[in-house]
Amino acid sequence: MQVTSATRYVLVAGEASGDILGANLIAHLKLLQPNATFEGIGGPLMEAQGFKSMVPMDRLSIMGLVEVLGRLRELLGIRKRLYEDCLANPPTAFIGIDSPDFNMPLAKKLKHAGIPTVHYVSPSVWAWRQKRIFNIKKSVDLMLALFPFELPIYHEHNIPVVCVGHTLADDIPLESDPLEARRSLNLADISGPVFGILPGSREGEVSRLAPLFIETMKQIKQHQPEATFLIPAANKERRLQIEKILHEANAEAILIDGKSRVVMAASDAILLASGTAALEAMLVKRPMVVSYRVNKLTFAIMSRMIKVPYVSLPNLLANETLVPELLQDEATPDNLAIRLVQTWKSFITDQSIQDKYLQLHKMLRKNAGEKAAEAIVAMLEDKGK
């Protein structure tokens, strides 16, 4: 691979899942291009790889159509600054990692200015707003997709695409030992069922879901008094937020700083928000219930636009209902408690679901970071960079 001291990448990741992908990608780009530098917007995992973030990644972590409006001016200001910085000092390539509503408009302008653009994580054009594919074609020189079912629409529109799999599938072992996970959390002596409770990593997400999930815990505790609940907190702010909600609800749980994957592995069953966490729980091979609530207007708009029957990645990958999804009005403490206990008990005896989890895990194991880095470098060589 051709290496120059001027190789410089601008990457933008807007949430924790993007930080994981970005860190893995940077690590493999550095193997191919040891003199490369990396800057833009990212989280602590990317920063640990030598990445320089111009603003905290949390500033981009907003969920929902309505919720974005309150922060629109700030978001537009950040994007303008990135654009102007890239024009003043053009990078070797711009790499947007997920967060398409933020990254795609920026990529489009940068591509028009002659800067190679890559998008890592396909927007859900196969699920909703399918006409976005025309804008994607104007915005990116290379799409890095995570899942095989995403490729056909890009092939149909002659957009360069590579399926790289998911770095989580590479990192997570095919078997996860719950006793080992509990020992690592100093919880080896726990008796009774252990439920992992994951209300998300964003402030708004936690404010909506944590009260609901904690009331669910209380419902379960009435019928399973020996149950233990583990809640991972993404950072110090989320820990304080969850502690306050627990106190107000007069509920008890063991809070763990970070280590959400270890919490999943230590659990008998998991209640979580939809998103990458559901994929991670599938890869850890634990039964789960997926739930989500958003602003009512946001949900009404999105419900009319979504073209697929599922929201969770395990169900989308399997094209069947592997895990229960209780969304919006269906997401009540009673419903969630009943379904979580049912799912836990049935998973123990239903080997077919466990086998499907394993098949999906193997399908996604492609050495994602390495494959993504090689695809980016190959694209740049084709362009003569």
Side-chain angles (χ1 to χ4, degrees):
M1 301 292 180
Q2 185 177 3
V3 177
T4 71
S5 59
T7 302
R8 184 176 68 90
Y9 293 100
V10 171
L11 300 89
V12 174
E15 54 187 279
S17 58
D19 189 33
I20 294 171
L21 297 174
N24 191 258
L25 175 60
I26 290 170
H28 283 90
L29 282 171
K30 287 196 295 186
L31 293 175
L32 298 177
Q33 301 170 317
N35 295 322
T37 60
F38 306 87
E39 58 190 84
I41 299 175
L45 298 179
M46 293 169 67
E47 290 177 328
Q49 291 289 337
F51 180 84
K52 296 180 180 179
S53 190
M54 61 178 273
V55 298
M57 186 181 69
D58 284 353
R59 303 315 302 164
L60 302 189
S61 299
I62 310 170
M63 185 71 179
L65 303 175
V66 176
E67 292 79 356
V68 169
L69 295 177
R71 297 263 304 282
L72 186 58
R73 179 175 295 182
E74 178 189 2
L75 294 171
L76 292 175
I78 293 171
R79 193 161 65 192
K80 181 180 178 183
R81 178 180 163 192
L82 279 166
Y83 173 67
E84 291 174 348
D85 286 351
C86 287
L87 287 189
N89 185 16
T92 305
F94 169 78
I95 305 170
I97 304 174
D98 209 354
S99 303
D101 290 332
F102 183 91
N103 281 321
M104 280 293 174
L106 177 57
K108 186 176 182 179
K109 293 176 70 175
L110 294 176
K111 182 179 180 182
H112 182 73
I115 295 171
T117 59
V118 179
H119 194 79
Y120 193 175
V121 182
S122 170
S124 303
V125 286
W126 38 269
W128 67 308
R129 293 170 57 196
Q130 294 180 350
K131 291 184 178 180
R132 287 179 295 168
I133 195 70
F134 300 107
N135 191 57
I136 290 172
K137 186 168 186 176
K138 297 175 182 177
S139 303
V140 303
D141 293 296
L142 173 66
M143 177 62 68
L144 301 175
L146 306 186
F147 308 115
F149 63 77
E150 298 177 306
L151 300 185
I153 193 169
Y154 291 98
H155 292 155
E156 179 184 347
H157 292 274
N158 297 313
I159 299 171
V161 61
V162 175
C163 180
V164 301
H166 203 295
T167 183
L168 288 175
D170 301 325
D171 294 343
I172 295 174
L174 294 178
E175 295 183 5
S176 298
D177 184 351
L179 296 180
E180 180 181 339
R182 292 179 192 181
R183 281 194 293 268
S184 73
L185 297 173
N186 296 317
L187 300 173
D189 296 332
I190 286 181
S191 60
V194 177
F195 295 98
I197 308 296
L198 285 81
S201 59
R202 305 179 185 93
E203 180 182 3
E205 196 173 41
V206 171
S207 68
R208 283 191 302 272
L209 296 181
L212 169 65
F213 286 7
I214 288 168
E215 287 302 316
T216 301
M217 288 165 35
K218 293 169 69 175
Q219 292 282 349
I220 293 173
K221 194 75 170 177
Q222 290 180 10
H223 303 283
Q224 303 275 344
E226 72 281 17
T228 298
F229 302 95
L230 308 180
I231 305 179
N235 50 46
K236 181 180 178 180
E237 291 76 18
R238 295 295 78 73
R239 183 186 179 96
L240 292 172
Q241 185 182 9
I242 294 168
E243 285 177 341
K244 181 180 179 182
I245 297 170
L246 281 167
H247 177 74
E248 291 173 348
N250 192 27
E252 293 185 3
I254 299 174
L255 266 62
I256 308 292
D257 292 324
K259 299 183 180 179
S260 62
R261 188 185 307 169
V262 181
V263 167
M264 291 181 183
S267 301
D268 292 302
I270 303 165
L271 174 62
L272 45 72
S274 62
T276 303
L279 174 67
E280 197 165 5
M282 183 201 80
L283 296 171
V284 175
K285 316 298 186 306
R286 297 295 182 268
M288 75 190 87
V289 170
V290 171
S291 182
Y292 212 81
R293 279 182 178 174
V294 293
N295 175 282
K296 288 187 177 182
L297 178 58
T298 296
F299 186 79
I301 295 171
M302 294 182 69
S303 295
R304 295 182 179 183
M305 300 173 74
I306 291 176
K307 306 289 186 182
V308 292
Y310 310 112
V311 299
S312 67
L313 285 169
N315 291 344
L316 286 166
L317 286 164
N319 196 29
E320 63 176 293
T321 305
L322 284 186
V323 305
E325 299 178 353
L326 277 73
L327 311 176
Q328 208 67 4
D329 293 340
E330 291 185 354
T332 66
D334 284 345
N335 287 346
L336 292 174
I338 291 169
R339 192 63 65 85
L340 186 60
V341 172
Q342 287 177 343
T343 301
W344 159 50
K345 291 182 176 179
S346 65
F347 188 81
I348 297 171
T349 58
D350 192 345
Q351 186 63 40
S352 66
I353 296 178
Q354 300 178 45
D355 290 343
K356 288 175 182 176
Y357 277 15
L358 182 60
Q359 292 169 10
L360 294 173
H361 192 159
K362 291 178 178 178
M363 179 184 74
L364 295 177
R365 272 197 160 189
K366 296 177 179 289
N367 295 317
E370 178 183 357
K371 195 164 186 177
E374 289 176 348
I376 290 168
V377 172
M379 179 270 290
L380 293 171
E381 289 183 342
D382 287 342
K383 285 182 166 290
K385 295 290 183 182

